[in-house]
């Protein structure tokens, strides 16, 4: 059904359509509308889920863990301080191989208080064992949330998935989007290690060093196995519902001599910058990274690379730029822009390309 | 009520000699039966249950992060109920995991009316990490972080829980397994949030010989330092050995002097402990009599 | 692409108005986005919302810098904010005004949305409802169709007087 609404609403509707059994909810700006919408769905009966109004984000992930451990589908949403507050439980949920799906409204961390878009929250959770996808439109927020359940619950993966959408820029923008009838696109949950009273086991017991690493390695196996599962899921989604997604999205890259790389809404707006640059005779292209975990390296051979990071790893650099450099060997012009909702326009992005100096870092608004 | 022979805590535990926590767990699981999941935060029972790939437990045990037990149980209970299953969800947590780091999650789960039983087995310190002070450590007790003896009183966990009006609330003691068994069985027969606070005299932590666990528990009850009761539908009933202790008690010195942890307690502190006991007994008696 | 910047005060319904205008454009078969610019959210504070309407999918998330149309729901804001900032040379201005306020250098459409609302006793939490007459006025400018304007109001508001308010604004606005 073609409809019109915010990014938050799209996420809530996708979660509703995926029919979770348990939803844990705690409010935080700019995600709150998601848990409010789901409360409405549960109240009006369009979603037959147990809605647990927890007392903290640490507990929202804990409640999802408890529910998912019994083998049922779970969903929650958070943002910013809420996400980092549940950090411990992110490690626990991935370690326990529970296919929990969570939306995260990317938002800056204090102090000072700032509710604008920034990727510091989710990027600082990158080593928890969660899959992370970053979306750039309201439609993609819906679609990625829907696909997240199928990917997370796939028995080759069994890892939680975080859908990241830029706070306000995407959570609060109103756009056209189309909902779908998932039918059997998401098969029923079949968690092989769900708690079984008839076959009692100890979960997460003391695990000595001579076996602990095997469980860690197994998480990595799930992460690596997720790549073909994501590709297969996105292909099946396109076949059924007609919308195509890839591990990363290329825009006018075929003959590009310089590519801009970003995630989230900047990854969409930069397409306009590419068009402007092309009109100026610059062979520009863009690569929008969708999946940050697993990390998939685009082919950047022989191209100048401009990476925009909407976060920063203090004492190191832009995280996306650093990871791309480490994995691809490129020498990016690393731009740090958009922190705390800092306004970045397509003109600004085009300018980043014009002033690029490979191998250097540029803080937008500081180094101008 | 007859205690069944079936064991859910097998004889292969990694517990210390004389461990009250494993003793309590044995009776808790007997009362709960096979259709039960234990949710266990970091505590002595993390160790007691055994080391991967073995387990001493014959029911599913879900080990979770320190602060999260009650919240995990919330999700688990809702999921079971959504699927039409009556499986008991029991949090089995130490005093640190309950009174200190886990109290927020406990409060939330109680307030939300979670259908579960939360058991705090209280050995009055962070025993699993080698006896550090917790909010449950009593006045005058030495721990590795109160080498001169604790200068603060034990936190009144039961009053905090009572403020949430759970459907069932009880105390018990490792030294009185029948009383404990009856209460667990009763608690699990009632839907909604239930809470039990069980005293667990810990030989290495409290510094007494391993064979004296039961004796120490009985002294706690006979001195009135620990009162066995249950509160159901707002009505408090004194149970078991505490009925006698409400009328006639032995001095607290008899309890304090046989534990190494109270070696540095002062005469003033002992008098204060005695006064705390008398005040608590009077308060509970008034409530039992329906005066307040 | 047609870009609208809407200036209002917190509590006047400017954010909702932006969504409704974009929704009407969506019903017209266009691509549309509405974005509130969140600052210090408090009653009475100046608020800005952005509406983009296009035949192609909209890829821009940054603020509108060169609007085709500026809407001012509270003309007292014009003393605090340069509502014409960056407006296109041929950009137009719609002002909710009881005294027919005009701005220099740009085609201005003054319309008494507040008066229309008060005359129909359309008051919510002490504030006159400005959304529905605004939608009527906007449809007169051709930004959205009359049919979509009606549908948006019918779907969003139960009170029939809202349709009347839109009609009156449509009539009152002079092109």
């Amino acid at each position: 059904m073609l409809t019109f609404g915010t990014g938050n609403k799209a996420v809530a509707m996708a979660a509703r359509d995926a029919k979770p059994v348990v939803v844990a909810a705690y409010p935080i700006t700019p995600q709150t509308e998601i848990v409010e919408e789901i409360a409405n769905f549960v109240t009006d009966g369009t979603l037959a889920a147990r809605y647990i109004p927890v007392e903290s984000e640490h507990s929202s992930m804990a409640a999802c863990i408890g529910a998912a451990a019994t083998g049922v589908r779970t969903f929650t949403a958070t943002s910013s301080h809420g996400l980092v507050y549940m950090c411990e439980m992110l490690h626990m949920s991935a370690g326990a191989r529970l296919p929990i799906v969570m939306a995260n409204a990317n938002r800056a961390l204090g102090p000072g208080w700032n509710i604008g878009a920034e990727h510091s929250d989710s990027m600082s959770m990158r080593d928890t064992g969660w899959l992370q996808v970053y979306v750039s439109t309201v439609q993609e927020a819906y679609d990625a949330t829907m696909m997240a359940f199928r990917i997370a619950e796939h028995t080759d993966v069994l890892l939680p998935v975080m859908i990241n959408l830029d706070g306000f820029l995407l959570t609060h923008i109103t756009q056209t989007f189309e909902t779908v009838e998932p039918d059997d696109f998401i098969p029923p949950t079949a968690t092989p290690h769900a708690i079984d009273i008839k076959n009692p086991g100890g979960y997460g017991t003391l695990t000595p060093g001579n076996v602990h690493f095997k469980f860690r390695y197994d998480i990595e196996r799930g992460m690596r196995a997720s790549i073909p599962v994501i590709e297969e899921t996105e292909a099946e989604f396109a076949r059924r519902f007609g919308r195509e997604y890839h591990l990363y999205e290329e825009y006018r890259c075929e003959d590009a001599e310089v590519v801009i790389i970003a995630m989230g809404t900047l990854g969409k707006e930069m397409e306009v910058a590419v068009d402007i640059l092309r009109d100026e005779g610059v062979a520009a292209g863009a690569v929008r990274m969708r999946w940050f975990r697993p990390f998939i390296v685009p082919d950047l051979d022989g191209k100048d690379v401009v990476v925009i990071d909407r976060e920063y790893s203090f004492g190191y650099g832009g995280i996306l730029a650093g990871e791309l450099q480490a994995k691809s060997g490129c020498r990016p012009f690393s731009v740090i822009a958009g922190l705390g909702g800092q306004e970045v326009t397509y003109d600004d992005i085009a300018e980043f390309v014009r002033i690029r100096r490979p191998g250097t870092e540029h803080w937008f608004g500081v180094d101008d | 009520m007859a205690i069944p022979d079936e064991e859910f805590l097998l004889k292969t535990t990694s517990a210390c000699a004389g461990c009250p926590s494993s003793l309590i767990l044995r009776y808790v699981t007997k009362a709960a039966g096979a259709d039960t999941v234990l949710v266990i935060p970091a505590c002595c029972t993390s160790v007691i249950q055994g080391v991967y790939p073995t387990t001493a437990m014959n029911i599913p045990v879900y080990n979770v992060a320190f602060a999260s037990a009650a919240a995990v149980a919330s999700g688990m209970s809702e999921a079971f109920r959504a699927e039409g299953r009556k499986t008991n969800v029991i949090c089995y947590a130490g005093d640190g995991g309950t009174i200190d780091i886990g109290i927020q999650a406990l409060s939330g789960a109680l307030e939300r009316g979670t259908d579960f039983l939360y058991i705090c087995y209280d050995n009055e310190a962070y025993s699993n990490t080698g006896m550090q002070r917790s909010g449950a450590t009593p006045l005058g007790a030495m721990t590795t972080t109160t080498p001169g003896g604790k200068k603060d009183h034990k936190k009144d966990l039961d009053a905090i829980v009572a403020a949430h009006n759970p459907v069932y609330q009880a105390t018990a003691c490792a030294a009185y397994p029948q009383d404990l068994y009856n209460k667990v069985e009763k608690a699990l027969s009632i839907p909604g949030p239930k809470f039990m606070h069980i005293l667990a005299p810990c030989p290495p932590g409290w510094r007494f010989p391993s064979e004296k666990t039961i004796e120490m528990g009985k002294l706690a009850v006979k001195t009135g330092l620990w009162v066995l009761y249950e509160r159901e539908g707002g009505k408090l009933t004194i149970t078991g050995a505490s009925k006698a202790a409400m009328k006639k008690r032995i001095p607290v010195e008899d309890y304090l002097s046989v534990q190494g942890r109270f070696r540095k307690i002062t005469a003033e502190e002992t008098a204060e402990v005695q006064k705390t006991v008398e005040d608590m007994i009077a308060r509970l008696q008034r409530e039992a009599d329906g005066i307040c | 692409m047609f870009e609208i910047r809407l200036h209002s005060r917190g509590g006047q319904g400017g954010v909702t108005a932006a969504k409704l205008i974009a929704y009407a454009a969506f019903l017209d078969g266009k691509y549309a986005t509405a974005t509130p610019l969140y600052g210090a959210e408090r009653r009475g504070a100046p608020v800005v919302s952005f509406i983009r309407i296009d035949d192609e999918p909209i890829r821009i998330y940054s603020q509108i810098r060169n609007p085709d149309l500026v809407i001012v729901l509270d003309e007292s804001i014009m003393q605090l904010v340069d509502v014409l900032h960056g407006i296109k040379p041929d950009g137009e201005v719609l002002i909710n005004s009881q005294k027919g306020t005009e701005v220099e250098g740009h085609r201005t459409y003054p319309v008494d949305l507040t008066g229309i609302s008060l005359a129909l006793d359309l008051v919510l939490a002490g504030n006159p409802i400005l959304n529905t007459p605004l939608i009527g006025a906007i449809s007169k400018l051709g930004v959205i169709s009359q049919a979509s304007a009606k549908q948006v109001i019918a779907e969003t508001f139960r009170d029939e007087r809202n349709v009347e308010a839109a009609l009156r604004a449509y009539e009152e606005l002079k092109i």
Side-chain angles (χ1 to χ4, degrees):
Chain A
M1 192 184 81
L2 199 62
T3 184
F4 195 69
T6 61
N8 278 338
K9 190 171 181 186
V11 167
M13 289 174 82
R16 174 199 65 190
D17 296 344
K19 299 184 177 62
V21 174
V22 170
V23 176
Y26 191 78
I28 180 168
T29 304
Q31 162 279 125
T32 308
E33 194 191 353
I34 297 176
V35 295
E36 287 175 342
E37 282 289 333
I38 290 178
N40 287 332
F41 296 145
V42 171
T43 303
D44 69 21
T46 49
L47 174 61
R50 298 280 179 134
Y51 187 87
I52 309 180
V54 289
E55 79 295 335
S56 77
E57 288 93 351
H58 194 275
S59 285
S60 65
M61 188 45 60
C64 284
I65 287 172
T70 74
V72 304
R73 184 167 295 151
T74 60
F75 177 79
T76 189
T78 191
S79 175
S80 182
H81 286 264
L83 183 71
V84 297
Y85 187 43
M86 65 168 73
C87 173
E88 179 187 30
M89 305 314 286
L90 296 186
H91 283 277
M92 292 295 282
S93 49
R97 306 305 297 275
L98 297 173
I100 296 162
V101 172
M102 174 168 69
N104 177 56
N106 286 113
R107 177 191 134 180
L109 294 158
W113 287 122
N114 177 300
I115 54 175
E118 190 175 314
H119 295 166
S120 298
D121 52 4
S122 52
M123 294 288 249
S124 64
M125 298 297 120
R126 65 187 176 163
D127 301 334
T128 56
W130 277 65
L131 278 71
Q132 290 193 13
V133 63
Y134 290 75
V135 300
S136 68
T137 65
V138 170
Q139 182 70 67
E140 191 185 4
Y142 179 90
D143 295 343
T145 302
M146 178 72 68
M147 285 187 270
F149 288 97
R150 175 166 158 148
I151 294 163
E153 292 169 8
H154 195 290
T155 48
D156 289 352
V157 180
L158 289 172
L159 285 170
V161 177
M162 187 189 303
I163 303 105
N164 291 283
L165 60 163
D166 286 337
F168 290 106
L169 293 171
L170 196 48
T171 57
H172 283 61
I173 196 169
T174 320
Q175 292 178 343
T176 307
F177 67 103
E178 188 177 22
T179 61
V180 300
E181 289 293 333
D183 297 322
D184 60 350
F185 175 71
I186 311 172
T189 50
T191 313
H193 57 303
I195 290 170
D196 183 359
I197 297 296
K198 293 192 175 61
N199 181 24
Y203 295 81
T205 39
L206 278 183
T207 308
N210 64 345
V211 281
H212 177 79
F213 69 89
K214 293 182 182 174
F215 288 103
R216 296 286 109 181
Y217 181 67
D218 210 48
I219 294 173
E220 175 57 14
R221 285 209 307 189
M223 194 58 92
R224 289 178 192 177
S226 74
I227 297 172
V229 171
I230 291 167
E231 288 181 304
E232 176 267 322
T233 299
E234 288 171 352
E236 177 64 12
F237 189 88
R239 197 182 66 75
R240 290 194 187 214
F241 310 119
R243 287 189 292 277
E244 269 193 46
Y245 295 97
H246 308 93
L247 296 169
Y248 52 86
E249 301 292 344
E250 293 181 310
Y251 183 74
R252 304 183 78 168
C253 276
E254 315 78 46
D255 60 338
E257 287 162 11
V258 55
V259 293
I260 321 165
I261 303 181
M263 304 198 300
T265 52
L266 282 175
K268 181 55 74 177
E269 181 140 349
M270 70 183 174
E271 292 180 6
V272 181
V274 166
D275 292 347
I276 292 169
L277 291 162
R278 286 273 175 176
D279 288 347
E280 291 173 6
V282 180
V287 177
R288 179 169 68 84
M289 299 290 286
R290 295 185 69 242
W291 292 91
F292 183 65
R293 288 291 182 272
F295 192 74
I296 296 121
V297 193
D299 179 14
L300 302 169
D301 261 4
K303 291 178 168 61
D304 265 14
V305 176
V306 176
V307 180
I308 308 173
D309 272 289
R310 193 167 210 138
E311 33 49 36
Y312 197 74
S313 176
F314 300 108
Y316 176 71
I319 295 171
L320 182 59
E323 296 212 351
L324 280 165
Q325 179 162 7
K327 289 283 186 181
S328 76
C330 70
R331 285 182 70 242
F333 179 50
S334 167
V335 179
I336 313 303
L339 306 194
Q342 179 193 29
E343 175 78 347
V344 184
T345 70
Y346 50 83
D347 282 334
D348 298 324
I349 298 170
E351 188 62 13
F352 299 154
V353 173
R354 293 183 200 110
I355 64 166
R356 70 186 182 278
R357 283 167 288 133
T360 68
E361 183 178 287
H362 175 82
W363 277 72
F364 179 51
V366 176
D367 296 331
D368 300 337
Chain B
M1 286 176 259
I3 298 175
D5 291 336
E6 192 176 0
E7 300 286 353
F8 297 98
L9 177 65
L10 307 178
K11 289 177 182 173
T12 52
T13 75
S14 318
C16 302
C19 173
S21 308
S22 55
L23 185 67
I24 295 166
L25 185 57
R26 188 174 165 218
Y27 289 99
V28 166
T29 50
K30 276 172 177 279
D35 192 10
T36 300
V37 179
L38 289 182
V39 176
I40 299 185
C43 62
C44 284
T45 309
S46 310
V47 178
I48 291 168
Q49 65 186 276
V51 178
Y52 178 86
T54 64
T55 174
M57 300 296 304
N58 206 12
I59 51 172
V61 177
Y62 217 79
N63 291 281
V64 300
F66 214 172
S68 71
V72 170
S74 276
M76 198 175 281
S77 172
E78 292 289 352
F80 280 138
R81 301 304 174 259
E83 306 279 282
R85 292 163 66 180
K86 291 184 159 49
T87 305
N88 299 312
V89 177
I90 301 178
C91 286
Y92 192 68
D95 48 286
T98 304
I99 280 183
D100 294 339
I101 197 169
I103 199 157
Q104 173 178 314
L106 173 61
S107 174
L110 292 173
E111 182 268 333
R112 288 190 298 272
T114 306
D115 184 18
F116 79 136
L117 168 61
Y118 192 106
I119 294 173
C120 171
Y121 65 95
D122 186 356
N123 51 29
E124 303 191 320
Y126 288 92
S127 312
N128 192 27
T129 44
M131 289 302 151
Q132 293 77 37
R133 164 209 196 278
S134 82
T137 303
L139 181 71
M142 283 192 294
T143 66
T144 58
T145 52
T146 51
K150 193 186 177 194
K151 297 301 170 195
D152 310 296
H153 281 277
K154 183 183 177 90
K155 191 191 285 187
D156 192 349
L157 173 65
D158 299 309
I160 294 167
V161 170
H164 294 75
N165 289 314
V167 293
Y168 181 84
Q169 178 176 4
T171 58
C173 174
Y176 299 95
Q178 183 70 57
D179 177 73
L180 190 161
Y181 177 90
N182 293 350
K183 287 170 174 171
V184 173
E185 192 171 66
K186 187 179 206 178
L188 291 173
S189 72
I190 309 167
K194 286 85 63 176
F195 178 85
M196 285 181 66
H197 190 184
I198 306 179
L199 188 68
C202 168
W206 296 12
R207 304 188 200 179
F208 63 79
S210 295
E211 69 275 14
K212 291 192 180 298
T213 302
I214 301 299
E215 187 180 319
M216 219 52 66
K218 287 186 172 172
L219 281 171
V221 169
K222 286 176 180 169
T223 54
L225 263 163
W226 192 259
V227 180
L228 305 172
Y229 64 79
E230 60 185 359
R231 192 183 282 114
E232 197 186 347
K235 173 87 178 82
L236 183 102
T237 309
I238 306 294
T239 66
S242 283
K243 288 179 194 165
M246 294 300 282
K247 299 188 179 73
K248 192 165 182 293
R249 289 170 292 284
I250 58 173
V252 294
E253 284 97 329
D254 293 9
Y255 173 78
L256 304 176
S257 62
V258 291
Q259 298 175 39
R261 63 174 174 159
F262 291 115
R263 193 160 48 78
K264 290 182 182 170
I265 197 168
T266 64
E268 294 75 28
E269 284 168 340
T270 301
E272 204 174 326
V273 172
Q274 187 67 58
K275 184 176 182 308
T276 307
V277 167
E278 300 311 321
D279 289 350
M280 177 176 67
I281 295 285
R283 181 166 52 81
L284 289 171
Q285 189 61 57
R286 280 198 304 276
E287 189 185 339
D289 293 343
I291 295 169
C292 63
Chain C
M1 183 160 12
F2 192 78
E3 296 185 307
I4 308 171
R5 191 171 65 212
L6 194 158
H7 294 270
S8 60
R9 285 187 185 273
Q12 282 189 312
V15 174
T16 307
K19 280 189 188 184
L20 295 176
I21 293 166
Y23 180 49
F26 159 70
L27 293 176
D28 285 337
K30 308 266 189 173
Y31 289 94
T33 64
T35 320
L37 179 62
Y38 282 87
E41 239 177 298
R42 59 189 171 86
R43 287 218 153 199
V47 178
V48 182
S49 305
F50 305 108
I51 304 140
R52 287 187 167 96
I53 301 170
D54 202 358
D55 294 324
E56 301 292 323
I58 297 160
R59 301 175 294 180
I60 303 171
Y61 290 87
S62 53
Q63 298 167 23
I64 291 172
R65 289 162 290 160
N66 307 116
D68 298 279
L69 174 66
V70 169
I71 301 171
V72 182
L73 279 188
D74 185 330
E75 62 179 318
S76 71
I77 279 180
M78 294 165 74
Q79 296 161 17
L80 307 169
V81 180
D82 178 13
V83 299
L84 299 180
H85 185 80
I87 188 169
K88 286 200 175 83
D90 57 348
E92 300 180 334
V93 184
L94 188 152
I95 304 176
N96 172 25
S97 173
Q98 288 172 303
K99 54 190 186 207
T101 302
E102 302 254 353
V103 299
E104 266 180 50
H106 293 276
R107 179 76 195 265
T108 311
Y109 304 99
V111 56
D112 185 8
L113 304 173
T114 305
I116 292 168
S117 185
L118 289 175
L120 289 163
D121 199 23
L122 272 174
V123 177
L124 188 70
N127 290 319
I129 294 175
L130 304 177
N131 293 332
T132 44
L134 175 63
I135 289 166
I138 291 288
S139 71
K140 185 75 168 277
L141 294 179
V143 175
I144 53 175
S145 72
Q146 265 186 286
S148 296
K150 273 186 194 155
Q151 188 178 335
V152 165
I153 292 169
E155 282 183 21
T156 317
F157 302 93
R158 285 205 197 117
D159 194 329
E160 291 278 326
R161 287 174 297 174
N162 285 291
V163 179
E164 178 60 23
L167 283 172
R168 287 194 192 179
Y170 185 90
E171 295 299 330
E172 196 168 300
L173 189 132
K174 299 285 180 283
I175 296 183

